[in-house]
Amino acid sequence: MKTAACLDNLPPYLFAEIDRKRDEKRAQGIDVISLGIGDPDTPTPRHIVDAMAEAIRKPINHRYPDYAGSPAYRRACAEWMRRRFGVDDLDPDTEVLALIGSKEGIAHLHLAFSNPGDWSLVPGIGYPVYSGGAVLTNSNSWYMPMHEEDGFLARFWECPPEILAKSKMMFLCYPSNPTAATAPEEYLDRAIAFAKEHDLLLVYDNAYSEIGFDGYQAPSILERPGAKEVCIELFSLSKGYNMTGWRIGFAAGNPQAVKALGTIKNNLDSGQFTAIQEAAIAAMLGPQDCVQQMCDIYRRRRDLIVDALNAIGMQVEAPKATIYVWAKVPDGYTSAQFTEKVLEEANVIVAAGTAYGPYGEGFIRISLTTPDDRILEAVQRIKATL
Ligand SMILES: *Cc1c(COP(=O)(O)O)cnc(C)c1O
């Protein structure tokens, strides 16, 4: 039996070694604190679970779903975009598509747009699925440089012309996982103009649109003039509504891109369970104070960890958004060395910046999805190792 070459070309799972050590330690009864994974630790809000409980009993929902998402779900997505961002011109029939989580949309966009040998521009520090999707379609990724001095805004304009000529898509994600950086409007406008000039589909991953602090509310790229000519935006209910396990999100924007992605999906999956879509409607159109409550929890944890890290001499800035703190490793360590040291000596798991791309060296990502007392305990343990 011989599997496809692309499987061999996927990068090794960077957390495999850490997972192995964690399991080994836990088997020995050692208390390991994980600040590695971005997965909300509090339950899905009650009214959303209740909507699901009701929806699951309707026999109509037990049949195949509408592949593109139920008309009610797509209308709710468009309405949420109107209420939340003032984007009021989305046609639910042609410009909205249900996704089985936004990860699914990211990976499948490669099937819809990339031929073997094509290129995509992907963040030099970002969610690994952008480049993973390219590997699965035998296409290539060009890592856009991202640097602290310009706020980790990906430098798409540095892409060499010969690569740009063969590029189909550019992926951007702000608020950013893992850097927690946010993008100003001028940057979004510049990215849209660049995508137009070079005939690229701009894929805007807005998985953290709902997690903002100190008054910051992330924009939709579709608020920007002319965005719909070149952009498809991906939204997820995972982080904002504590629904990671439910697998629901949506794509919105350019109708040609929405249609192409829908065609791929028609041939691969048969849509998400309609009852889950009904729960997601309850999330998007129901009371939004649960989102604010979650943001309050993350803000409190952010402050705890930023204060504690600064107190032990690590330089950290308080992020305006996301469920992550992106911190510089102390002098004298690489990301991998520091991650390893913290696991070995403090029994704390953090994610090495290099797991997110070549420009992540020198940083670690700390996730805020762990209860306050465990976060503080983790920082105390890290302090003891320094
Ligand atoms: C979590 C995450 C996703 C995936 O979200 P799902 O909707 O759960 O698939 C996509 N992009 C980024 C940047 C993420 O952090």
Side-chain angles (χ1 to χ4, degrees), residues 155-168:
R155 298 182 185 176
F156 45 81
W157 54 91
E158 291 184 357
C159 184
E162 61 279 13
I163 287 178
L164 203 43
K166 291 187 248 166
S167 295
K168 294 290 193 55

Side-chain angles (χ1 to χ4, degrees), residues 179-201:
T179 68
T182 57
E185 290 173 347
E186 311 83 71
Y187 177 81
L188 300 183
D189 290 342
R190 195 173 166 192
I192 292 165
F194 183 84
K196 276 187 196 165
E197 188 183 338
H198 299 285
D199 195 23
L200 301 172
L201 173 67

Side-chain angles (χ1 to χ4, degrees), residues 101-103 106 127 130 173 177 205 207-208 236 238-239 247:
S102 57
K103 179 182 193 175
I106 295 166
Y127 190 54
Y130 312 129
C173 172
N177 173 16
D205 181 357
Y208 295 92
S236 168
S238 288
K239 315 297 179 6
R247 313 311 306 135

Side-chain angles (χ1 to χ4, degrees), residues 200-213:
L200 301 172
L201 173 67
L202 201 174
V203 183
Y204 197 78
D205 181 357
N206 214 339
Y208 295 92
S209 63
E210 300 317 289
I211 317 284
F213 314 122

Side-chain angles (χ1 to χ4, degrees), residues 11 204 243 266 306 343 348 350 361:
Y204 197 78
M243 292 177 74
N266 287 348
V306 167
L343 175 59
V348 172
V350 297
E361 182 56 84

